[in-house]
Amino acid sequence: MSDLRELYQEVILDHGKRPRNFRALEGADRTAEGYNPLCGDKVRVYAKVAGDVIEDLAFQGAGCAISTASASMMTSALKGKTVAEAERLFGRFHRLITGRASGATGATEARPAAAADDDLGDLVVLAGVREFPMRVKCASLAWHTLRAALHSDGATVSTEE
Ligand code: ZN
C-alpha cells in the first residue's frame, strides 16, 4: 500500500515539475482563469473547440504541485474528447477526489468501481486528496476553470464555494 502511495506521489511530483501542455494556446477560442484562495493556486485554461470536440487544450499558471499536476493530467486526458465526454470525466474525477458517490454519504459506497475509472488514466493518482479537504480545491481548480472556459468565455472562477 505504501509502495502505491509512493508511486502516486512520484507521478504527481513529475506532473507538478514538468507539466504537460503548459503554454498559452495560440488560436484558443475559449479561456478562463481560476483562483483557489485557500492555497493561492492560479490557473488559466485555454481550449480550442471545433464543433463539439476539444481539439486542443493547454494551461498556464502558478500553484502547488497538486493543482499543477491536476491541470497537466486534465489537459492530457481531455484533448480530443467531446465537451460531453469532458463533463462526464469531470463528474467521475470529482467523485474520485471527494470520495462521494453522487450525494451518497455512506463511506462504504464511496469507493468507485475500478472499471469506471479506466479513462481517468493518471488522474486516479489524485484520489488521495480526498483525505485532505483543502487539497480537493487544488485538484479541482483546473477542472472548474475549464468548465467556465467551455461555458462562458473569459470568466474568472474561484473554487471557494
Ligand atoms: Zn494548491
Side-chain angles (χ1 to χ4, degrees), residues 36 39-41 63-67 134-135 137-139:
N36 172 17
C39 180
D41 309 313
C64 66
I66 300 279
S67 69
M134 297 266 295
R135 290 305 189 188
K137 307 280 189 190
C138 300

Side-chain angles (χ1 to χ4, degrees), residues 5 8 12 66-67 70 93-94 96-99 123-140:
R5 213 167 251 269
Y8 280 12
I12 292 168
I66 300 279
S67 69
S70 182
F93 178 68
H94 201 258
L96 176 79
I97 61 171
T98 58
L123 287 159
V124 296
V125 304
L126 289 167
V129 303
R130 69 170 69 154
E131 291 164 45
F132 310 95
M134 297 266 295
R135 290 305 189 188
V136 171
K137 307 280 189 190
C138 300
S140 60

